[in-house]
Amino acid sequence: MSDQLLQQIFLEARTHNGWLAEPVDDATLRHLYEALRLGPTAANSVPARIVFVKSPEAKERLRPCLAEGNVEKTMSAPVTAIIAYDTRFHEKMPKLFPARPTMGEALAAMPPEQRDFLLLQNASLQAGYLILAARALGLDCGPMAGFDREKVDATFFADLPWKSILLVNLGHGDPEKLFPRNPRLDFEEACRIE
Ligand SMILES: Cc1cc2nc3c(=O)[nH]c(=O)nc-3n(C[C@H](O)[C@H](O)[C@H](O)COP(=O)(O)O)c2cc1C
């Protein structure tokens, strides 16, 4: 990874709260998905499903689902990605893991607690891949857990077995609206080498 890409994806990238009036076209969202889908997931299960909320009408349906502090930043973002996981993800396993045709059945038979963990772990990883891929494509992100998950599911996935886990605003961030950068833990506080 070049030093410039490291700067762009991690060292200089920030979580954005305000957005410039610069749209994000659908082709960019397709590029974003084509990159993030290649990030690794358990048994190649790729359980994340994404709705890119872009039209003013769809944004209005999202509004009542948002925590108060997230309303303005979300309504002004060019795109808000709803990241969900598919509770029937195992049905796609014949395509995703052709070398082992019984993989889908094996995953479907997991105890519910283990299945829920697998879904949350892998869809959350894919949400992380989305953030990093978006930054690599020159977009800024604003992830948010402050929303009513049940309302989002009822509003956007009424006929689908999908469960929302995270919203990510996407666009070109307004540097004027950044919050101060908070410190991170030092290596010695967060890691050890054994
Ligand atoms: C899972 C997750 C949930 C978050 N939820 C919210 C939220 O609901 N509202 C908000 O304004 N910021 C939210 N944030 C933003 C974080 O506070 C922010 O990413 C963190 O403070 C780091 O900021 P920085 O990237 O500018 O250093 C969330 C971030 C993550 C990763």
Side-chain angles (χ1 to χ4, degrees):
M1 194 189 264
S2 75
D3 191 49
Q4 195 198 321
L5 203 47
L6 198 59
Q7 298 285 341
Q8 187 174 324
I9 294 178
F10 287 104
L11 306 181
E12 285 176 358
R14 295 295 316 278
T15 294
H16 281 266
N17 305 294
W19 306 96
L20 303 175
E22 205 179 316
V24 175
D25 60 23
D26 293 1
T28 303
L29 298 177
R30 286 180 174 275
H31 279 144
L32 176 62
Y33 178 71
E34 275 157 26
L36 79 90
R37 70 178 182 167
L38 292 171
T41 54
N44 195 38
S45 53
V46 286
R49 306 288 180 262
I50 304 165
V51 174
F52 292 106
V53 180
K54 201 175 159 183
S55 70
E57 295 76 23
K59 277 290 189 72
E60 283 305 326
R61 287 161 63 218
L62 187 57
R63 185 195 286 271
C65 308
L66 300 167
E68 203 181 315
N70 289 332
V71 172
E72 199 189 319
K73 61 182 88 176
T74 303
M75 295 309 290
S76 62
V79 179
T80 304
I82 304 173
I83 319 283
Y85 59 70
D86 184 355
T87 60
R88 300 199 67 80
F89 72 109
H90 51 273
E91 291 172 1
K92 305 271 190 209
M93 291 311 293
K95 169 173 179 169
L96 297 170
F97 210 99
R100 208 173 126 194
T102 56
M103 181 67 89
E105 289 152 45
L107 292 173
M110 282 170 95
E113 217 172 275
Q114 267 181 42
R115 254 171 61 100
D116 289 350
F117 180 79
L118 179 141
L119 286 166
L120 186 59
Q121 181 177 58
N122 287 282
S124 299
L125 278 169
Q126 289 191 271
Y129 304 146
L130 175 138
I131 291 171
L132 300 181
R135 288 173 170 180
L137 285 168
L139 295 173
D140 292 307
C141 300
M144 295 169 299
F147 68 101
D148 185 328
R149 293 175 57 202
E150 281 183 11
K151 250 189 204 170
V152 164
D153 297 351
T155 306
F156 290 90
F157 314 140
D159 52 351
L160 289 167
W162 298 3
K163 301 263 178 225
S164 56
I165 58 168
L166 189 71
L167 304 179
V168 183
N169 287 331
L170 296 166
H172 298 92
D174 179 353
E176 302 281 306
K177 300 213 170 116
L178 283 171
F179 298 150
R181 178 77 118 174
N182 280 317
R184 302 301 206 257
L185 298 179
D186 293 331
F187 186 92
E188 287 69 22
E189 294 174 283
C191 316
R192 68 179 198 214
I193 300 172
E194 293 198 349

